[in-house]
Amino acid sequence: MIIVTLVTLYITLSPHLFCNNFIAHRLADSQQPPTYSGSTMATGQIFSRTTQALFYNYKQLPVQRMLDFDFLCGRETPSVAGIINPGAEGFQKLFFGQEEIAIPVHSSIESACAAHPTADVFINFASFRSAAASSKLALKQPTIRVVAIIAEGVPELDTKELISYARLNNKVVIGPATVGGIQAGAFKIGDTAGTIDNIIQCKLYRPGSVGFVSKSGGMSNEMYNTIARVTDGIYEGIAIGGDVFPGSTLSDHVLRFNNIPQIKMIVVLGELGGRDEYSLVEALKSGKINKPVCAWVSGTCARLFKSEVQFGHAGAKSGGVMESAQAKNKALKDAGAVVPTSYEAFESVIKETFEKLAEGGKITPVKEITPPQIPEDLNSAIKSGKVRAPTHIISTISDDRGEEPCYAGVPMSTIVEKGMGVGDVISLLWFKRSLPRYCTQFIEICVMLCADHGPCVSGAHNTIVTARAGKDLVSSLVSGLLTIGPRFGGAVDDAARYFKDAYDRKLSPYEFVEGMKKKGIRVPGIGHRIKRGDNRDKRVELLQLFARTHFPSTKYMEYAVEVETYTLSKANNLVMNVDGAIGTLFLDLLAGSGMFSKQEIDEIVSIGYLNGLFVLARSIGLIGHTFDQKRLKQPLYRHPWEDVLYTK
C-alpha cells in the first residue's frame, strides 16, 4: 500500500494592530440557545455565547486558547466551567483577558456535572485508551448534550457504540480524531482555528454567514482563512474528524446549518474514502437542503496511483469507484451543489455564491468590530525581548537548568566519576568551593561522630516520644531538631565565636574565662554532664588527633586546650566538649586552608554554618530512632508518675 501524506499549508500572517478600546458587542443572532429535538441529532444551533464546557484531562494550552477566544469575542463568562482530572481536586489558575481566574478541578465526571449543571459540552482530551469510556460516561449525564473527542486511534467498535448511544439519546458526538468546532464570536473547542493571530485574520471573533464542515482539522484552518477572504466569514465551523466512523457526519451538520437562520450558505470539504458524502447527495436531491452548498471532495490525485492509497486520515483511502473523489464530486454536482473543477477553484465558487446572495439581498452586511488586544504572556514577552521582569529568588549554589544538575558549577556526573563524598558535596553547597581532602574528611568525621548520642539526650527523647505517638518521619525528626539550641548541640557557633574573639584579642585563658564569668555567660564548648578531666570525651580526642595530624595549623584548638586546663582547675567536669572541639577546629580549618578571607570566616560563624553541621549529623541519628521505634512497634509513651515531683 502506498502511503501519501497530505500536508496542510498554514498561512503565515503579519500581526495586526488594534485599538485598546473595545466595546463589548451583543449580537442577538449568536446568543440563541442550542436547538435540540426528538430526532436522531440536534437540528439547529448547538453552541451560543453562553455555552460552557467541561474539559477532561487538563491541557494548559487548549484551555487558555479557549479563554483567550472568549475574551476576544467579548464574552462575560469563561467558556470553561470546570476541569476534570481523575483523582485530583482543587483549582487551576488561568487568564481571562488581563484577569487571573481560578477554574475548579473535579476528580470525576459525575461531580463536575453536578457542580456545573449549565455546562452542556464535554471536551475530551483523554488518550485513545480511555477516550471511549470517559465519553460514554459523559453522554450518560443528563446535562451533557455535546461530546468532542480529540483522540485519534479510538477503537472502531467503541466509536460505533458511542454513535448509537448518542443518536438514541438525541446527543451530538464530534470526533474522534477531531480538532473540534467553533461558533464565530461565541464559543470554540480547544485548539480549533489555531492561534489568536489566525483567529483574528479569519474574523472568527464575530459571526459571519457561512456554515462550514470538514473532516480535516488542519484544512479547516485553511478554509476559515479562504472563506474570510471572499465572504463575511464563518458563522459555525465543524471538523468531524478523519476516522472511518465519525460520531457525526457531514450531512448531519449540513442539515443543522440549513435550520440556522443566520447561516445563508454552506461550504463542505470532503475527502475520498467512505460514503459519507452520499448522504449529503441524498439530502440535496430530496430537497431537505434549501441553502446554497459549495462542496469539494479532496483526493482526486488518488487515480494516479495503480494500487490502493491511504491518505492521512484513517477513513481517507481509495477503495471502489464510488469512494473516489471524482465520483463524489460528480454526484454532489448532479444533486445541485456548487462544485469547482479543482481545489484551486474552490475559493472562486465560494466567492461567486456569496456575491449572488449579497446581490439578492439575502445577506445583511456584517458590521465590522475591533477586537481587543489579548495580553501577552510574561514568558512569551520576555523571550521576545519586549519586557524585562525581576526574578524572585537568587541561587548561587546549584543549577538544574542544563542536562544535569550542578553543585557550585560542578556537574553531578563529575562528582560521581571523581568519587567525591558527602564532605565534598557539603563543601560545594555550603562553602561554594572544593575544599582540600583533609577538610572534607574532617567534615565527614564530624558528621559521623555527632550522628547520635543515645536515646536519653533531649533531641532523641523528643523524637522517640513523637514516633511512638504515631507521627510520621518528618514530624518525629523535626520534634527532635527543635530541641537543638544553646543547651543542646547548638553551642558550636557560640564556641567558635567566643574562642575566636578571645584568641584574636590575645586574651589569656584567665582573662577570657573570668571575663565571661563577669558577664554571666558560660564558656560555650566547655563543660559536660558526664565526662570529667580523667574521663574525657573520646569524640573530642579523635577530632584533636586528626587535626594535629592533617591540619596546617591548630592555633584555635590549642588555645581552647589552654582554656580547658584553666577551667579544669576549677571543676573536674569543665572539660572541652564536642561543641568546643568542632567549633575551634573549624576555625583552624577555615583559617589554615588559605581559601577564606577574614571577612568570610566571620560571616560563616555568624550565619550559623557550624551549628548546621551538628543539625545535619544529628538528623541521621534522629531518623534512626524514628525507624527504631516504628520497627519495634512501640506504644504511646507516657511518663511514669514516680518520675515526677508533684508539689504545690
Side-chain angles (χ1 to χ4, degrees):
M1 182 182 291
I2 300 174
I3 307 297
V4 178
T5 303
L6 292 178
V7 180
T8 302
L9 298 177
Y10 289 87
I11 298 177
T12 304
L13 306 169
S14 59
H16 289 248
L17 297 176
F18 297 99
C19 299
N20 291 329
N21 297 326
F22 173 70
I23 302 175
H25 57 288
R26 288 290 175 270
L27 303 175
D29 58 358
S30 64
Q31 294 186 27
Q32 295 181 3
T35 306
Y36 301 93
S37 72
S39 63
T40 58
M41 185 180 147
T43 57
Q45 193 164 303
I46 57 176
F47 306 131
S48 73
R49 284 175 62 83
T50 57
T51 294
Q52 285 193 302
L54 296 175
F55 196 103
Y56 187 87
N57 196 23
Y58 175 69
K59 299 287 187 295
Q60 190 270 339
L61 186 57
V63 177
Q64 187 59 65
R65 282 181 169 178
M66 289 179 67
L67 298 176
D68 287 344
F69 179 75
D70 297 340
F71 179 73
L72 198 69
C73 298
R75 282 185 56 133
E76 291 184 355
T77 56
S79 60
V80 181
I83 295 167
I84 305 168
N85 263 353
E89 292 184 342
F91 292 88
Q92 184 64 51
K93 294 195 301 179
L94 291 151
F95 283 100
F96 185 60
Q98 192 70 40
E99 179 186 1
E100 193 169 26
I101 61 174
I103 296 181
V105 177
H106 304 276
S107 61
S108 69
I109 293 172
E110 296 90 338
S111 62
C113 291
H116 309 284
T118 59
D120 60 0
V121 177
F122 182 83
I123 302 173
N124 195 343
F125 266 75
S127 71
F128 70 91
R129 290 178 291 272
S130 60
S134 50
S135 296
K136 182 71 173 291
L137 183 56
L139 286 169
K140 289 182 177 180
Q141 307 306 310
T143 56
I144 298 299
R145 297 296 179 191
V146 179
V147 172
I149 307 171
I150 310 302
E152 298 181 6
V154 177
E156 291 179 359
L157 180 60
D158 292 339
T159 303
K160 289 178 181 179
E161 291 178 0
L162 290 174
I163 294 170
S164 175
Y165 185 89
R167 290 189 179 274
L168 285 173
N169 291 274
N170 190 29
K171 299 191 177 187
V172 179
V173 174
I174 303 173
T178 181
V179 71
I182 186 169
Q183 183 174 319
F187 176 83
K188 91 179 185 90
I189 294 172
D191 291 316
T192 301
T195 65
I196 288 296
D197 286 342
N198 191 62
I199 288 171
I200 291 173
Q201 183 69 20
C202 297
K203 301 179 181 178
L204 294 169
Y205 50 84
R206 52 90 175 138
S209 304
V210 181
F212 172 75
V213 61
S214 168
K215 290 187 176 181
S216 169
M219 289 304 296
S220 293
N221 283 353
E222 175 72 18
M223 288 304 300
Y224 293 152
N225 195 284
T226 297
I227 291 169
R229 285 199 303 267
V230 296
T231 73
D232 61 2
I234 291 289
Y235 183 82
E236 183 182 326
I238 298 289
I240 66 171
D243 279 4
V244 177
F245 299 101
S248 51
T249 65
L250 297 172
S251 59
D252 287 334
H253 293 286
V254 170
L255 289 170
R256 277 199 314 105
F257 294 163
N258 195 64
N259 294 327
I260 299 175
Q262 295 80 22
I263 293 179
K264 306 302 182 183
M265 63 177 286
I266 301 166
V267 176
V268 180
L269 181 63
E271 63 186 22
L272 83 166
R275 302 207 171 197
D276 190 8
E277 288 81 0
Y278 288 105
S279 62
L280 177 56
V281 169
E282 292 303 316
L284 286 165
K285 286 182 176 180
S286 62
K288 293 180 180 179
I289 302 169
N290 52 32
K291 295 179 180 179
V293 176
C294 297
W296 175 254
V297 178
S298 60
T300 54
C301 65
R303 64 183 178 182
L304 301 176
F305 300 94
K306 295 180 180 180
S307 59
E308 184 180 274
V309 178
Q310 171 73 58
F311 286 78
H313 293 147
K317 60 182 178 180
S318 59
V321 175
M322 292 290 289
E323 294 185 10
S324 68
Q326 286 82 353
K328 291 181 179 182
N329 280 325
K330 185 178 185 304
L332 285 166
K333 186 174 183 179
D334 292 344
V338 183
V339 180
T341 56
S342 65
Y343 178 77
E344 287 74 15
F346 202 16
E347 180 174 334
S348 297
V349 300
I350 295 171
K351 179 180 180 182
E352 291 169 6
T353 303
F354 178 79
E355 288 176 348
K356 286 179 182 178
L357 290 170
E359 290 170 2
K362 294 184 179 181
I363 292 180
T364 303
V366 174
K367 182 181 179 181
E368 289 296 342
I369 59 173
T370 302
Q373 181 74 39
I374 299 292
E376 187 174 359
D377 289 340
L378 180 60
N379 288 340
S380 174
I382 291 174
K383 287 181 179 178
S384 64
K386 294 180 180 178
V387 298
R388 57 188 181 188
T391 56
H392 300 288
I393 293 176
I394 301 174
S395 176
T396 64
I397 65 170
S398 62
D399 191 339
D400 60 345
R401 294 171 298 176
E403 293 184 0
E404 59 177 319
C406 292
Y407 293 166
V410 180
M412 191 70 66
S413 58
T414 301
I415 293 173
V416 175
E417 290 165 1
K418 289 188 175 182
M420 294 183 177
V422 172
D424 297 287
V425 172
I426 292 173
S427 74
L428 291 172
L429 292 177
W430 290 18
F431 303 105
K432 296 172 54 180
R433 65 204 74 187
S434 291
L435 295 176
R437 183 57 186 149
Y438 75 86
C439 295
T440 60
Q441 280 184 302
F442 177 76
I443 292 173
E444 291 170 359
I445 291 172
C446 290
V447 171
M448 290 188 287
L449 295 180
C450 297
D452 192 51
H453 202 189
C456 297
V457 295
S458 58
H461 179 79
N462 267 23
T463 290
I464 290 170
V465 171
T466 306
R468 289 177 61 167
K471 301 293 285 185
D472 59 278
L473 170 63
V474 174
S475 301
S476 302
L477 171 62
V478 169
S479 69
L481 291 176
L482 288 174
T483 64
I484 295 176
R487 297 182 181 179
F488 169 63
V492 183
D493 281 316
D494 284 343
R497 188 177 301 113
Y498 283 111
F499 276 107
K500 183 177 186 300
D501 177 71
Y503 178 85
D504 291 348
R505 289 197 293 133
K506 296 182 172 52
L507 297 179
S508 67
Y510 169 81
E511 291 171 327
F512 173 46
V513 174
E514 297 303 325
M516 294 287 285
K517 183 178 179 180
K518 288 181 181 179
K519 296 176 183 177
I521 303 173
R522 295 187 180 187
V523 178
I526 296 292
H528 203 288
R529 293 190 62 182
I530 298 174
K531 299 300 178 180
R532 297 290 186 269
D534 55 354
N535 179 28
R536 296 175 184 273
D537 191 331
K538 188 67 175 178
R539 297 175 299 174
V540 173
E541 293 178 343
L542 289 170
L543 289 169
Q544 290 176 337
L545 175 62
F546 180 86
R548 287 177 176 135
T549 304
H550 297 92
F551 281 23
S553 169
T554 55
K555 60 182 182 181
Y556 288 106
M557 184 200 73
E558 300 301 347
Y559 178 72
V561 170
E562 293 176 13
V563 171
E564 179 192 42
T565 301
Y566 178 76
T567 56
L568 282 174
S569 68
K570 291 178 169 291
N572 199 34
N573 69 326
L574 295 180
V575 294
M576 186 187 305
N577 57 38
V578 73
D579 292 348
I582 292 176
T584 54
L585 284 172
F586 235 106
L587 290 175
D588 287 324
L589 182 152
L590 296 171
S593 68
M595 300 182 69
F596 300 88
S597 65
K598 181 181 182 302
Q599 182 180 356
E600 285 178 319
I601 295 173
D602 291 339
E603 186 178 49
I604 287 170
V605 173
S606 65
I607 287 177
Y609 273 54
L610 308 187
N611 276 351
L613 195 62
F614 182 84
V615 170
L616 172 65
R618 191 50 55 94
S619 293
I620 298 172
L622 298 180
I623 291 172
H625 284 296
T626 301
F627 291 155
D628 191 40
Q629 298 303 308
K630 299 282 188 184
R631 183 172 54 249
L632 295 172
K633 297 180 175 58
Q634 290 297 286
L636 179 69
Y637 176 83
R638 179 181 174 83
H639 204 71
W641 288 336
E642 58 269 22
D643 197 36
V644 177
L645 173 62
Y646 293 94
T647 179
K648 296 181 180 180

